[in-house]
Amino acid sequence: MKSNFLKAALGAAFLFSSPAFSQSKSETYKDIIEKAYNLSLQKDRQQALNILTAAIARESRPAAQAELKKATVEVAHVFFSDKAQQLYETSISLKKTDLNQAISKLAEAQRIEPDNLTVVMEQARLQIAKGECSNAQEALQKSVKLMSFDEELRLVNAQTQVCAGQWVEYSKNPEVSDSRKSTYQKYWMALEVERQLKLKNLTKASETAQSLVKLDPKYPEGHYWIWKISLALKKSNLEEAQKYVMTCKNISASQYRQYMIDPMLCRRAQEVESEIKGMNGTAE
C-alpha cells in the first residue's frame, strides 16, 4: 500500500517534470523535490537523496523543510522493483514462524535494492531478534547519518542501542523524555520500561508498563514487562504471564503486522511459558 502510494507520487512528478537536473539560482525547493522524484524514476535513489538532504541543510523555512523531509522519506522507502517488494513481503510473512527463512528472503530483496530504507530497517529488526546487536547497528549507520529526522528510523536505531545495552546513547533520543509526541509511542514506552528495569527503578518501570497496557491492551509486550517487573519484586504474577503467552499464541496476522515494528514481538513467549510450567501453572 505504502509503496504503491509512493510510486503514484513519483509518477505524478514525472508527468510535470522538466528534463534539466542542474541546479540554478532560481530553483525552488519544489523544483528540487520534483528533480528528486525524476531521479527516483531513473532508479537513482542515492543522487535523489543527496540533493534532498543538501536542500534540507540549506533551507531555513520550516514549511519548506517539512516538505523536503517528507519527500526524502518517500524516496528512501519506495520500492523500485516488484521482485524486491515481493521478497520483502515474503520475509514479513515468515518472521513469526521461521526467522532464518525470513532473513534469507530479506537478503535477496536487499541484493536487488541495497539502499531501500524499508529493507534496511527490517534487516536491523531481524538481526535484533537474533541477538546480533552490532550487526543491526552497522546496517543502520549510513541511513541514520543521512536522515535522522525519519521517526521510524530513530526508533529502530534506539532498538539496536537497547539490544546492545548502550543506555547512554539510547537516552539521548528525544523521544525518551517525551514519547507522547511520537507516532510510535508504545514502542518507546516498551524500551523505557526495559531501561528502568535495568536501572532497578521498579516503581517507574511498573508505572510505565501499566500505562503501556492501558494505552494498548492488545500489544503483547506490555503484559510481558508487567510480569518481568513482578519477578524483580519477588512476585510470580501468573496472570500476566498467561496473558502474554496467550496473546502471542492467538495474535492474528494483521495484529502481528501492526506490532512487528517491535523486533522482540512475542520472541519471549517460550521463556515465559517455561516459567509458567515451572510454577505448576498452565499456558492454556
Side-chain angles (χ1 to χ4, degrees), residues 12 46 62 65-66 72 115 120 129 134 142 177 205 231 235 252 260:
Q46 196 55 58
Q65 271 210 351
T72 304
D115 56 356
V120 170
S134 59
K142 180 181 176 182
S177 59
L231 291 185
K235 300 176 182 178
S252 67
M260 71 179 189

Side-chain angles (χ1 to χ4, degrees), residues 112-130:
I112 300 170
E113 295 197 23
D115 56 356
N116 184 315
L117 189 54
T118 295
V119 174
V120 170
M121 291 195 303
E122 184 58 23
Q123 179 194 32
R125 291 190 190 104
L126 292 176
Q127 288 169 327
I128 292 170
K130 284 205 76 173

Side-chain angles (χ1 to χ4, degrees), residues 26-262:
S26 61
E27 188 174 52
T28 68
Y29 77 90
K30 291 184 181 291
D31 294 329
I32 293 169
I33 292 172
E34 182 181 285
K35 183 187 294 186
Y37 282 155
N38 276 280
L39 285 165
S40 296
L41 285 168
Q42 298 177 30
K43 300 185 179 181
D44 191 349
R45 193 192 316 267
Q46 196 55 58
Q47 181 62 13
L49 292 175
N50 287 344
I51 66 169
L52 285 167
T53 53
I56 290 168
R58 293 192 304 268
E59 185 60 66
S60 58
R61 294 167 296 176
Q65 271 210 351
E67 286 195 47
L68 285 163
K69 288 177 179 179
K70 180 182 176 183
T72 304
V73 171
E74 290 175 348
V75 170
H77 285 273
V78 69
F79 278 92
F80 296 148
S81 160
D82 289 340
K83 178 65 174 175
Q85 187 167 10
Q86 289 167 4
L87 287 163
Y88 167 79
E89 293 294 339
T90 301
S91 175
I92 295 303
S93 69
L94 288 167
K95 67 185 294 185
K96 181 184 177 184
T97 56
D98 194 334
L99 189 57
N100 288 329
Q101 273 296 308
I103 291 170
S104 176
K105 292 299 181 183
L106 194 71
E108 290 184 53
Q110 192 163 36
R111 280 193 286 272
I112 300 170
E113 295 197 23
D115 56 356
N116 184 315
L117 189 54
T118 295
V119 174
V120 170
M121 291 195 303
E122 184 58 23
Q123 179 194 32
R125 291 190 190 104
L126 292 176
Q127 288 169 327
I128 292 170
K130 284 205 76 173
E132 298 174 356
C133 309
S134 59
N135 290 340
Q137 286 185 309
E138 186 178 346
L140 289 177
Q141 288 315 297
K142 180 181 176 182
S143 300
V144 170
K145 289 178 182 177
L146 187 67
M147 44 188 301
S148 61
F149 50 81
D150 185 322
E151 190 177 11
E152 186 178 354
L153 177 58
R154 285 201 307 274
L155 173 61
V156 181
N157 189 51
Q159 289 167 335
T160 69
Q161 291 166 342
V162 169
C163 179
Q166 296 175 344
W167 299 107
V168 173
E169 290 303 314
Y170 160 78
S171 65
K172 295 176 183 177
N173 291 288
E175 290 86 355
V176 172
S177 59
D178 191 1
S179 64
R180 292 171 298 177
K181 294 180 180 179
S182 173
T183 306
Y184 307 104
Q185 180 184 5
K186 65 173 69 74
Y187 308 108
W188 286 104
M189 290 174 73
L191 294 177
E192 190 57 15
V193 173
E194 187 169 355
R195 180 172 79 120
Q196 295 300 336
L197 192 55
K198 290 286 183 183
L199 294 172
K200 301 189 185 304
N201 294 335
L202 300 184
T203 300
K204 180 65 174 176
S206 181
E207 289 172 354
T208 306
Q210 294 290 346
S211 296
L212 177 57
V213 170
K214 186 176 180 180
L215 178 67
D216 189 346
K218 294 181 180 179
Y219 174 46
E221 302 311 303
H223 299 295
Y224 171 79
W225 288 116
I226 290 177
W227 171 74
K228 201 72 174 175
I229 293 163
S230 296
L231 291 185
L233 292 168
K234 309 300 183 186
K235 300 176 182 178
S236 63
N237 205 336
L238 182 61
E239 182 183 355
E240 288 297 331
Q242 290 175 323
K243 279 183 183 178
Y244 174 68
V245 171
M246 295 311 299
T247 302
C248 286
K249 281 188 174 183
N250 297 325
I251 195 168
S252 67
S254 61
Q255 282 178 322
Y256 191 88
R257 191 175 182 101
Q258 176 188 350
Y259 298 132
M260 71 179 189
I261 196 169
D262 184 339

Side-chain angles (χ1 to χ4, degrees), residues 7-19 21 34 37-39 41-42:
K7 285 179 179 177
L10 296 179
F14 178 73
L15 290 174
F16 300 100
S17 66
S18 63
F21 286 161
E34 182 181 285
Y37 282 155
N38 276 280
L39 285 165
L41 285 168
Q42 298 177 30

